[in-house]
């Protein structure tokens, strides 16, 4: 009987390395998916909050501005009261739009950590190879 060799063959080493690289790549893909999902969730929450705020604000502002136009009609013609209120409504809408745009820009759905980790892995593999 020949003594059993404890040394591994090149084929076994390559198979193990391939398995390890596949595990690393799968882990990085899972990380990227998690980051994208987290960013998308923030975008969804921001958009939902903006839509809810717009709806509730619209309901309240319709009555408030109608009342304000009627109050202004005490001193001005009715059409002037409505014109002033209309301009005010457009200003408020512009401010809300800017706030919503800023909230959506702060969300980062790109998988930055996974991309950085992937670059490090490629650099490490190139360095060793």
């Amino acid at each position: 009987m020949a003594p059993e060799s404890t040394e591994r063959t090149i084929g076994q080493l390559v198979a193990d390395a391939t398995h390890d690289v596949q595990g690393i790549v799968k882990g990085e893909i899972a990380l990227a998916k998690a980051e994208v999902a987290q960013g998308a969730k923030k975008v969804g929450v921001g958009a939902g909050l903006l839509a809810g705020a717009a709806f509730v604000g619209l309901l309240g502002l319709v009555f408030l501005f109608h009342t304000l136009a009627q109050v202004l009609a005490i001193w001005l013609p009715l059409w002037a009261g409505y014109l002033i209120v209309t301009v005010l409504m457009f200003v408020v809408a512009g401010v809300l739009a800017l706030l919503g745009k800023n909230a959506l820009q702060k969300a980062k759905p790109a998988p930055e950590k996974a991309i950085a980790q992937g670059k490090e892995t490629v650099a490490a593999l190139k360095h060793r190879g």
Side-chain angles (χ1 to χ4, degrees):
M1 281 182 131
E4 290 187 28
S5 173
T6 58
E7 294 183 26
R8 302 177 65 174
T9 65
I10 293 176
Q12 290 171 330
L13 293 173
V14 169
D16 287 347
T18 301
H19 179 67
D20 292 344
V21 170
Q22 287 175 346
I24 290 170
V25 169
K26 287 179 183 179
E28 289 178 2
I29 289 172
L31 177 61
K33 285 180 181 179
E35 284 187 74
V36 169
Q38 184 180 20
K41 183 178 178 182
K42 287 182 181 179
V43 169
V45 168
L49 290 172
L50 285 173
F55 179 72
V56 172
L58 179 64
L59 292 177
L61 288 176
V62 166
F63 290 104
L64 175 67
F65 289 138
H66 180 71
T67 302
L68 182 59
Q70 293 293 328
V71 169
L72 290 174
I74 295 172
W75 299 284
L76 301 171
L78 186 60
W79 66 266
Y82 277 100
L83 179 63
I84 292 170
V85 170
T86 301
V87 170
L88 181 63
M89 289 173 67
F90 282 128
V91 169
V92 170
V95 169
L96 291 175
L98 289 174
L99 292 174
K101 179 182 171 188
N102 289 339
L104 291 175
Q105 285 177 342
K106 288 181 182 178
K108 296 181 180 181
E112 295 172 1
K113 291 178 186 174
I115 291 170
Q117 194 172 21
K119 288 179 181 178
E120 289 176 12
T121 302
V122 169
L125 290 175
K126 285 183 180 178
H127 180 68
R128 290 187 177 191

